[in-house]
Amino acid sequence: MNIITSSLNSICEGVPYSVRYSILNARDGTVFERAEREETPSASTRKISIMLAVLNAASEGRLDLDDHIVYEPRLRDGVASGIFRYLTPGITLALRDAIVGMIVLSDNVCTRMVLERLTLQEVADYCQALGMTGTHHRFLIPPPTLPADHGLEDVTTTTAADQVRLLKLLADARHSAASARILGISPALCQFALQTLGQQILRYGIPSRLPYDVQFACKGGRGKRGRMDAGIVFKDKEPLYILAVFTDHVPTALPDGTPGYTSALETIGKISRVCWDGFQ
């Protein structure tokens, strides 16, 4: 067992909840995994595949990213994340800007705007076509009243392996026309997707323990059962590692009083730091 595997095991075995991850060392192709194919609540990591499905539709001419959407009061019903729910209805924004709001602020008013232009079945079919066999999109917006012990069938689910598969294709599409063709997205829109993920303003999870100037492209999630994050970390403008980490069955508080979500986010940050230190 090498030191990276040992460090990762120590982190995961030191917490009273499940940790699932898939990690790809982008420099040499080495993979580190733990329950990587077990389905788990996706929370907002699902928005990476939603974004790419919409960009696929735009690349095929089925959607226009310049189409304007009016923020109607109904769009904030049942929404529990983002800032639009607090803003005055009547604002108009382009579909491309709704995508940015969905990713950068995890705004679910924006998510609803985006998903109303595409059916859940289209997103699900897109994921299946990419080989994301453990990913199942079930809801436009997750029900806000879900209990903490909800079942997998009550939410959108994914796997750590599926998320890394998707992000590797996106990272490769910067230089590979073949990867862009697999995604079904024009090279320019692949760059838009990476740029948007790189504008993530929330620095918990994957980037939380990294040097402040590190370039990253990530999308985190907040679920009733845990916290999760998936993304690409760069070094010298090239991917250093790609990872997806999902915590599950996280208690409200640990025995020492630490809030469960605080511990979960710290766990993700520690895993990312092991990769940062070990892959250079």
Side-chain angles (χ1 to χ4, degrees):
M1 182 184 299
N2 66 33
I3 190 169
I4 294 176
T5 300
S6 177
S7 297
L8 293 172
N9 286 344
S10 177
I11 292 168
C12 296
E13 291 164 9
V15 294
Y17 46 81
S18 299
V19 183
R20 305 178 178 105
Y21 62 74
S22 181
I23 300 165
L24 172 68
N25 180 336
R27 288 187 169 175
D28 66 12
T30 305
V31 174
F32 298 85
E33 295 176 316
R34 183 185 185 96
E36 74 283 357
R37 299 193 183 280
E38 289 184 8
E39 288 193 30
T40 185
S42 72
S44 287
T45 62
R46 72 190 180 112
K47 295 172 184 176
I48 303 173
S49 53
I50 293 170
M51 171 175 65
L52 296 184
V54 171
L55 296 182
N56 166 253
S59 294
E60 293 178 350
R62 294 183 284 119
L63 286 176
D64 185 345
L65 298 183
D66 292 323
D67 279 350
H68 282 79
I69 305 166
V70 177
Y71 170 33
E72 304 171 40
R74 67 176 181 82
L75 293 173
R76 63 187 175 194
D77 292 345
V79 167
S81 66
I83 65 166
F84 262 81
R85 56 190 165 143
Y86 302 123
L87 302 183
T88 304
I91 298 170
T92 300
L93 68 164
L95 174 56
R96 73 174 64 248
D97 295 326
I99 293 171
V100 171
M102 176 180 73
I103 298 295
V104 174
L105 289 172
S106 208
D107 193 298
N108 272 346
V109 169
C110 290
T111 304
R112 182 168 274 153
M113 289 176 173
V114 170
L115 274 177
E116 287 189 351
R117 269 79 198 158
L118 205 63
T119 68
L120 277 176
Q121 189 59 54
E122 287 177 282
V123 179
D125 290 345
Y126 179 73
C127 290
Q128 293 299 307
L130 294 177
M132 299 173 66
T133 56
T135 299
H136 304 283
H137 288 266
R138 294 188 173 95
F139 294 97
L140 209 69
I141 300 296
T145 57
L146 275 176
D149 60 351
H150 67 77
L152 291 178
E153 69 281 357
D154 295 323
V155 293
T156 291
T157 54
T158 190
T159 70
D162 279 1
Q163 293 302 315
V164 169
R165 179 184 183 87
L166 186 63
L167 287 166
K168 184 178 187 304
L169 281 169
L170 183 58
D172 289 348
R174 298 173 314 127
H175 306 305
S176 167
S179 293
R181 282 195 299 272
I182 292 171
L183 289 170
I185 300 173
S186 71
L189 289 182
C190 285
Q191 183 56 43
F192 167 77
L194 271 174
Q195 175 184 311
T196 301
L197 288 168
Q199 292 169 334
Q200 173 62 249
I201 65 170
L202 303 175
R203 293 192 62 92
Y204 54 61
I206 287 172
S208 63
R209 288 175 169 257
L210 302 182
Y212 191 78
D213 60 352
V214 168
Q215 180 189 359
F216 61 93
C218 301
K219 182 71 197 82
R222 179 187 66 185
K224 291 291 182 73
R225 289 178 24 170
R227 296 293 190 270
M228 47 286 291
D229 207 356
I232 307 165
V233 175
F234 295 83
K235 174 74 173 178
D236 299 326
K237 298 184 179 180
E238 290 296 323
L240 177 62
Y241 56 95
I242 302 171
L243 77 165
V245 186
F246 292 82
T247 64
D248 197 9
H249 300 298
V250 177
T252 302
L254 273 57
D256 66 358
T258 301
Y261 75 88
T262 301
S263 172
L265 292 171
E266 273 287 276
T267 293
I268 297 170
K270 289 175 182 178
I271 289 173
S272 181
R273 184 69 199 206
V274 168
C275 299
W276 177 260
D277 291 337
F279 293 164
Q280 296 191 62

